[in-house]
Amino acid sequence: MSPRTGTRPGGRSARIQRAVHQATQDLLDEIPRANLTVPLIAERAEVDATTVYRRWGTLAQLLSDVAANRIRETPLPEATGSLRGDLTAWSQQFAEEISSGPGRGYVADVLAGDATGDNAKQCADYAAESIEQILDRFDGQPLPSVDDILEHVIAPLIYRILFAANRPLTGYAEKLVTEFLDGDHTAVA
Amino acid sequence: MSPRTGTRPGGRSARIQRAVHQATQDLLDEIPRANLTVPLIAERAEVDATTVYRRWGTLAQLLSDVAANRIRETPLPEATGSLRGDLTAWSQQFAEEISSGPGRGYVADVLAGDATGDNAKQCADYAAESIEQILDRFDGQPLPSVDDILEHVIAPLIYRILFAANRPLTGYAEKLVTEFLDGDHTAVA
């Protein structure tokens, strides 16, 4: 990154972002979501509320930013030696994270304050990067594309978590990976 | 429905629900989302704000209810004579609705104020009912399951609309239907 940028990691702008993000996360743990306001967050972060409004616009946009930062790339599960095993382990871990109590709320927050779609795209990019890292382990073999894995494993998982929260997830990631690798002509290039 | 229920279509409870939903929809068209409050909605609906809080709890829950009611089953596109044609036409229509300016916002609203997952499930049920109506037209043929269609056509469409808003949708519904019907061993029972 250029040293001329105004958002150096150690700069004032970065310090404000860290303080406001941290204050938001702390307050989310302490008080009901419906009671959260920009002035409360600003007070906790020890910045002016006008600074928060100028930078994030609305509470929804700030919550979207905070949630997108929480849904980060977590370490890959240990390698199993096979693409099938690695994809299954990773998609199970992914499903557990997103379907956890806070996980579903973060996804809703990301979408709710995200007029540009940038934060949602950042979350999708985390998933794509993890899949790429797994595929890299099997370089030289015929491999499915990242897009096909997103389409037939990740998309159905997210759909079930968001829209059919009362249907069981146990075994679902494994079923999707198995059907994808065994059943689909187009899965392997 | 039992005649003893407290939410008869013509009852006071139903009148309040209609007035509050209508006031919310009207205000969403008139003022920025971030300025919307329960007192404003109550004033427009000519009910006490306490009535709104007692019934919906928070603004987010009210917005979720309103959005779930907007994402209704729309009429099926005209029959084309083939399952492929009907599924393609319907999933294109579905993608257009959800990816429209307000459509994406409704989905975010549904998820944001939906602690139980009931509103999200209602939206998923609309999609499942439409697919069932299409499959009914081809009764007697070997048919894919509703779940498989949700998994491999609807889930990837929603994923792209929500998480990759900047990727083109043109032709994507048709591609998914074609791959599903032609490429997937498990697609047809």
Side-chain angles (χ1 to χ4, degrees):
Chain A
M1 200 183 282
S2 155
R4 302 176 84 96
T5 173
T7 53
R8 297 185 308 281
R12 181 169 176 275
S13 174
R15 276 201 310 276
I16 289 173
Q17 169 156 335
R18 275 198 302 273
V20 170
H21 274 220
Q22 190 61 52
T24 308
Q25 291 190 17
D26 291 347
L27 286 167
L28 279 172
D29 291 338
E30 292 169 25
I31 64 174
R33 160 71 52 100
N35 298 347
L36 199 64
T37 63
V38 167
L40 271 179
I41 293 167
E43 189 189 350
R44 177 70 65 97
E46 298 180 0
V47 302
D48 275 352
T50 50
T51 304
V52 178
Y53 286 119
R54 198 166 53 234
R55 181 138 173 182
W56 280 277
T58 64
L59 177 62
Q61 284 169 278
L62 169 57
L63 287 173
S64 178
D65 279 5
V66 169
N69 274 312
R70 278 205 188 187
I71 304 179
R72 273 195 187 288
E73 200 183 353
T74 43
L76 293 182
E78 216 170 319
T80 66
S82 73
L83 176 61
R84 178 180 308 254
D86 285 5
L87 278 182
T88 302
W90 177 76
S91 51
Q92 276 168 345
Q93 172 183 295
F94 178 87
E96 278 159 25
E97 275 174 21
I98 304 288
S99 66
S100 70
R104 200 165 173 275
Y106 295 152
V107 174
D109 279 344
V110 165
L111 296 173
D114 188 29
T116 60
D118 286 349
N119 284 341
K121 185 175 177 306
Q122 187 186 330
C123 295
D125 287 347
Y126 291 141
E129 281 161 26
S130 296
I131 293 170
E132 272 164 25
Q133 287 173 31
I134 290 174
L135 294 178
D136 281 347
R137 294 176 180 164
F138 303 93
D139 206 22
Q141 300 180 23
L143 292 171
S145 73
V146 173
D147 271 358
D148 279 345
I149 296 172
L150 288 173
E151 213 160 73
H152 296 291
V153 178
I154 298 311
L157 267 180
I158 291 206
Y159 185 82
R160 177 166 291 196
I161 291 166
L162 294 184
F163 294 100
N166 30 18
R167 294 188 62 178
L169 274 175
T170 312
Y172 188 54
E174 188 174 5
K175 167 193 170 307
L176 289 168
V177 170
T178 303
E179 286 182 359
F180 173 67
L181 291 178
D182 295 344
D184 190 334
H185 293 313
T186 61
V188 175
Chain B
M1 202 183 281
S2 155
R4 303 175 84 96
T5 173
T7 53
R8 298 185 307 282
R12 179 168 177 276
S13 174
R15 277 201 310 276
I16 289 174
Q17 169 156 335
R18 275 197 302 273
V20 170
H21 274 219
Q22 190 62 51
T24 308
Q25 292 190 18
D26 291 348
L27 286 167
L28 280 172
D29 291 338
E30 292 168 26
I31 63 174
R33 161 70 52 98
N35 297 348
L36 199 64
T37 63
V38 167
L40 270 181
I41 292 167
E43 188 188 352
R44 177 69 65 97
E46 298 180 0
V47 302
D48 275 352
T50 50
T51 304
V52 177
Y53 285 120
R54 199 167 50 236
R55 182 139 174 181
W56 281 277
T58 63
L59 176 63
Q61 283 169 280
L62 170 57
L63 287 173
S64 178
D65 280 6
V66 169
N69 274 309
R70 279 204 188 186
I71 303 179
R72 275 196 184 287
E73 201 183 353
T74 44
L76 293 182
E78 217 170 317
T80 65
S82 74
L83 176 61
R84 178 181 305 256
D86 285 5
L87 279 182
T88 302
W90 178 75
S91 52
Q92 276 168 345
Q93 173 183 293
F94 177 87
E96 278 159 24
E97 275 174 21
I98 304 288
S99 66
S100 70
R104 198 164 174 277
Y106 295 152
V107 175
D109 279 344
V110 165
L111 296 173
D114 187 29
T116 60
D118 286 350
N119 285 339
K121 186 175 176 306
Q122 187 185 331
C123 295
D125 287 347
Y126 290 141
E129 282 161 25
S130 296
I131 292 169
E132 273 163 23
Q133 287 172 32
I134 290 173
L135 294 178
D136 282 348
R137 293 176 180 163
F138 303 94
D139 205 22
Q141 299 180 24
L143 292 170
S145 73
V146 173
D147 271 357
D148 279 346
I149 295 172
L150 287 173
E151 213 160 72
H152 295 291
V153 179
I154 298 310
L157 267 180
I158 292 207
Y159 185 82
R160 177 167 291 196
I161 291 166
L162 294 184
F163 294 99
N166 30 18
R167 293 187 61 178
L169 275 175
T170 312
Y172 189 54
E174 189 174 5
K175 167 193 171 305
L176 289 168
V177 170
T178 302
E179 286 182 358
F180 174 67
L181 292 177
D182 295 345
D184 190 336
H185 294 309
T186 61
V188 175

